[in-house]
């Protein structure tokens, strides 16, 4: 059973948090004007600027809320169960942030490597050699090549002494 509401809530209802989230997204559109991409187009190289898409981040949303509403971190942590009714909207916000980052990375708006790391998406490949020794049948090599390999190995041994 959920506890009674925390007495010092910033948002009284989930709809208030959703309204703050929509405000954050609108604010990001304005922030894009700070990150202009300059391009020179046409045969005369006319200067053109385009606003970049600013990624949604949990850190950015929390900072936006602190600046405009108050601390929102406890709504997402819900450590003592005071914010149970906010769980669906908090989940939606987290998923929308993750989707924005993944799709933005896939479409090339954001660095795909960074968005993959931020979202725990990794492509792991095992490239280790699980054997201490690699055995090679040298009897199939021509004698002159074997002589060159032996001489190169001697020179390497002498140069490290």
């Amino acid at each position: 059973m959920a506890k009674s509401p925390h007495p010092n809530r910033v948002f009284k209802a989930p709809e208030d948090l959703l309204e703050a989230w929509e405000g954050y997204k609108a604010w990001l559109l304005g922030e894009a004007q700070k990150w202009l991409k300059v391009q020179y187009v046409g045969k005369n190289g006319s200067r053109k600027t385009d606003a970049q898409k600013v990624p949604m981040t949990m850190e950015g949303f929390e900072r936006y809320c602190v600046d405009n509403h108050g601390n929102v971190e406890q709504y997402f942590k819900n450590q003592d169960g005071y914010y149970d009714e906010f769980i669906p909207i908090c989940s939606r916000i987290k998923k929308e942030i993750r989707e924005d980052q993944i799709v933005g990375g896939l479409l090339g708006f954001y660095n795909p490597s960074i968005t993959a790391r931020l979202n725990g998406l990794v492509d792991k490949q095992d490239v280790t050699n699980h054997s201490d020794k690699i055995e090679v049948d040298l009897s199939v090599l021509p004698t002159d090549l074997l002589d060159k390999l032996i001489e190169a190995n001697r020179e390497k041994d002498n140069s490290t002494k």
Side-chain angles (χ1 to χ4, degrees):
M1 185 163 88
K3 291 185 177 183
S4 61
H6 192 279
N8 298 325
R9 280 188 172 185
V10 172
F11 301 108
K12 303 301 180 201
E15 295 78 21
D16 299 333
L17 180 58
L18 181 59
E19 189 176 315
W21 172 245
E22 295 300 328
Y24 169 69
K25 293 191 296 187
W27 176 78
L28 281 178
L29 295 175
E31 285 296 291
Q33 296 304 315
K34 294 180 182 177
W35 303 95
L36 298 177
K37 181 177 183 179
V38 177
Q39 299 179 56
Y40 295 92
V41 296
K43 73 176 191 175
N44 295 327
S46 301
R47 185 174 193 260
K48 182 180 177 204
T49 58
D50 293 314
Q52 299 298 293
K53 181 166 176 22
V54 178
M56 296 176 188
T57 63
M58 186 52 115
E59 292 80 5
F61 179 56
E62 288 178 357
R63 186 176 55 81
Y64 170 83
C65 285
V66 166
D67 291 347
N68 295 282
H69 304 283
N71 191 344
V72 73
E73 183 178 15
Q74 69 273 17
Y75 290 84
F76 289 88
K77 288 185 176 179
N78 192 24
Q79 187 172 353
D80 297 320
Y82 285 117
Y83 305 95
D84 285 347
E85 69 271 27
F86 288 86
I87 291 173
I89 187 62
C90 289
S91 178
R92 174 184 168 180
I93 289 170
K94 287 180 196 175
K95 287 178 181 178
E96 191 170 342
I97 289 172
R98 188 168 197 260
E99 178 187 27
D100 176 74
Q101 292 175 352
I102 292 170
V103 172
L106 289 170
L107 295 177
F109 288 104
Y110 315 139
N111 182 310
S113 177
I114 293 172
T115 57
R117 280 190 224 136
L118 286 173
N119 290 288
L121 306 172
V122 292
D123 182 14
K124 294 183 180 179
Q125 296 178 0
D126 184 5
V127 292
T128 58
N129 179 2
H130 295 289
S131 174
D132 292 335
K133 296 180 182 178
I134 298 175
E135 294 184 23
V136 178
D137 183 8
L138 298 177
S139 66
V140 296
L141 296 176
T143 308
D144 61 325
L145 182 57
L146 283 173
D147 291 339
K148 288 180 184 178
L149 287 172
I150 291 168
E151 183 59 33
N153 196 37
R154 282 187 190 138
E155 289 175 8
K156 179 182 161 207
D157 287 346
N158 289 336
S159 68
T160 58
K161 291 181 181 179

